[in-house]
Amino acid sequence: MAFDIEMIKAVYARMDERINAARKVVGKPLTLSEKILYSHLTQGNATSAYQRGADYVDFNPDRVAMQDATAQMALLQFMQAGRPKVAVPSTVHCDHLIMAKDEAGKDLEIATKESKEVFDFLASVSNKYGIGFWKPGAGIIHQVVLENYAFPGGMMIGTDSHTVNAGGLGMVAIGVGGADACDVMAGLPWELKFPKLIGIKLTGKLSGWTAPKDVILKVAGILTVKGGTGCIVEYFGEGATAMSCTGKGTICNMGAEIGATTSTFGYDESMERYLRATGRAEVADLANGIKHHLTADAEVYANPEQYFDQVIEINLSELEPHINGPFSPDLATPVSKMKEVAQANGWPTKVEVGLIGSCTNSSYEDISRAASLAKQVAVKGLKTKAEFTITPGSEQVRYTIARDGFIDTFNQIGAKVFANACGPCIGMWNRVGADKKEKNTIVHSFNRNFQARQDGNPNTYAFVASPELTTALAIAGDLTFNPLTDKLVNEKGEHVMLDEPTGDELPNKGFAVEDAGYQAPAADGSGVSVIVEPTSTRLQLLEPFAAWEGTNITGLKLLIKAKGKCTTDHISPAGKWLMYRGHLDNISNNMLTGATNFFNEKINSVKNQLTGEYAEVPAVQRAYKAQGIGSIVVGDENYGEGSSREHAAMEPRHLGVRAVLVKSFARIHETNLKKQGMLALTFANKEDYNKIQENDTIDIVGLTTFAPNQPLTLVLNHDDGSNEEITVNHSYNDQQIEWFKAGGALNIIRASIGK
Ligand code: MIC
Ligand code: SF4
């Protein structure tokens, strides 16, 4: 039985009217993205067309998903909103807090003990407020959502940047911070700047070694980590329809790595097959009934240049497998060029570990294709050179692949099967020897490979590839091995080639599972109590942030001028810090500890302007806070790229940083800063980054007349007594300015309780 079928019926029932209204105001055929967006307007039927990339629009998403590491903050905020029950179907998934070390069973047992307090908290809040709860071990949020909740034409938000994965089933699914999720669960509209649209036409057909992953690895190479910012990417063409639904999920999933708001595909037979295979024939039947609304109008795909802001065409028949990395997911190298490129860059070529799975690539198809390679190891007399690990995406996938013998096949090449959880992907990997910080290479089928992300070692060169190629490179133990052309030497000294991977899109015998790990909420949760111990180190109830003081903000110390890439992994690292995701004060001790200080090129070492001494970033900021002095953080391009974690915005807010001034922002992080009552500013002239000096005291002028589209002025007071003014831009609309004034969006919801 499908979850929330009545909600899906209601969405489909209104689509015809809403899409017709939209077509009228837009005045031309519609893309799929527009159909979904316009049929989820808070106002109901569209009365005017929105300008892409310019207009802020209120939407009513159909559902909300949260994972354990971000759900804690989201729900701590929701608890303050004064609502008895969530307004839309919502779920919590326990996947980020399980350390991968030995094997699934043992690791899970340890994690459930260690994080008992947090899991109990999430389970009881879910129970109380009507939220579906997926226990530790049930699987990774995005895989569980794809298997159970995603539906063509739907719109959802989730407190994780890879929520976009559900685009594989034709949704518009968007990653957000917890405060946004809190709004939607409280029944408020959700605001988004109407996105621009990128159309990607896939011609030809995937074959041989090339996998869906290679499509997105290639796209990342073309668009870079910033290229999708503010855009929805819509895929279409014969190559798209010929691909599996889960393959589409992989492509959408990693669309987060190009900064895209989300990615999506039109409803087709692959989606129908997947819905039926995952027990949702009813949804497939409903979708078949309104098929034409679940894809773009025919004119759009026939002449995409007229309807999209940018069009890219990729011929899948010619697409080579790619390997992206190290340290950035957009550094794309075709497999045939790796030898040359690795040598030129001095990348270590011995592969130490191959890791497959994660929310990006753990479908039945992925695993069966990887297993077809693992099988060849024994048959061809080979020996696997690297270590090999698997993190299945859900219990349903794990149970089914175990039944079908794939786990046994992997065990024969010495694999470790970790729990159905994020594990190494998010740095929950107790990798032996990582603390020695040796230069080494790993290859994985995950989506992100920022420095130190997987094992905490900044000298680990992590490369991203398809599960098939990851398996082949692990067998070879060599990053430069090209399975399309190269031979391996087996134990007998013979030269052998690996055969192309083969697999099944869906299990022939159907999916199976004994206990999927789902816990339904109480029908009436009013009697359920949620306990947060005041002495807890892992959970802390939130105190409201102070409102704006009503004046210009002056005398801010420069906390750090961050140099180069500053992702959310640099601002609020994960790994060991994940344990404090529910305790704002404790997690604040990781604030910006991964960022590089422009002035001394060191990580986590900034000057305390009060003493002249260098110390760790959180310590310096706490020293300012103790004196009641505010500060400002300066950054480079695409600041806050990566995760949706709002801790990266709440920590500076909590510790007294007032503004973040950068060359450009990643979307989710910019919104998170606004939501928490911070000033998110951009240089009007990017060169002004160079004017910021280490001992600057900075004033923000113009706040008493703070208004949309009106720049503010910053006065840089240098320590030689001189000062200069620079102009800074912002993207606040009227509503967001109210958040700033109230000291955060939540203060506004709080104030409305009882009204
Ligand atoms: C990630 O992939 O970086 C995460 C961990 O899933 C994050 C969420 C988080 O930081 O909790 C994300 O992508 O949003
Ligand atoms: Fe988990 Fe990694 Fe997926 Fe994020 S990207 S949800 S950490 S598996």
Side-chain angles (χ1 to χ4, degrees), residues 489-566:
V489 180
N490 72 6
E491 295 292 281
K492 288 193 232 147
E494 298 159 348
H495 287 71
V496 294
M497 275 192 88
L498 291 176
D499 302 329
E500 286 176 355
T502 53
D504 293 318
E505 178 187 281
L506 294 163
N508 292 323
K509 286 189 255 167
F511 283 109
V513 68
E514 255 164 34
D515 175 8
Y518 175 70
Q519 218 164 275
D524 173 7
S526 56
V528 178
S529 53
V530 177
I531 300 156
V532 174
E533 297 292 346
T535 52
S536 171
T537 57
R538 306 234 10 213
L539 294 167
Q540 181 186 40
L541 293 174
L542 292 171
E543 291 293 329
F545 293 127
W548 171 53
E549 55 270 59
T551 59
N552 286 331
I553 303 178
T554 57
L556 302 179
K557 298 292 181 201
L558 175 72
L559 176 62
I560 183 171
K561 173 157 137 177
K563 184 177 174 191
K565 209 172 182 63
C566 195

Side-chain angles (χ1 to χ4, degrees), residues 67 69-70 96 160-162 426 448 453 581 643-645:
Q67 42 90 341
T70 49
H96 279 65
D160 190 283
S161 63
H162 294 107
I426 186 55
R448 287 193 180 139
R453 177 171 165 102
R581 285 289 186 88
S643 163
S644 67
R645 60 190 77 142

Side-chain angles (χ1 to χ4, degrees), residues 67 95-96 140-142 160 162 253 358-360 421-423 425-426 446-448 453:
Q67 42 90 341
D95 54 3
H96 279 65
I140 308 172
I141 174 168
H142 313 301
D160 190 283
H162 294 107
N253 178 302
S358 88
C359 68
T360 328
C422 301
C425 180
I426 186 55
F446 312 158
N447 41 35
R448 287 193 180 139
R453 177 171 165 102

Side-chain angles (χ1 to χ4, degrees), residues 65-80:
M66 293 161 279
Q67 42 90 341
D68 49 3
T70 49
Q72 298 170 63
M73 254 334 148
L75 293 171
L76 283 164
Q77 294 177 79
F78 181 74
M79 283 164 65
Q80 304 203 355

Side-chain angles (χ1 to χ4, degrees), residues 66-129:
M66 293 161 279
Q67 42 90 341
D68 49 3
T70 49
Q72 298 170 63
M73 254 334 148
L75 293 171
L76 283 164
Q77 294 177 79
F78 181 74
M79 283 164 65
Q80 304 203 355
R83 303 288 197 273
K85 209 173 169 41
V86 287
V88 299
S90 305
T91 50
V92 164
H93 305 260
C94 297
D95 54 3
H96 279 65
L97 301 176
I98 300 161
M99 180 68 82
K101 184 167 178 260
D102 296 317
E103 56 84 30
K106 222 194 267 171
D107 293 351
L108 191 58
E109 199 183 309
I110 294 172
T112 33
K113 265 190 213 135
E114 270 178 10
S115 292
K116 184 173 184 317
E117 183 185 2
V118 170
F119 294 141
D120 286 351
F121 167 75
L122 293 174
S124 61
V125 181
S126 300
N127 199 18
K128 184 171 180 63
Y129 296 108

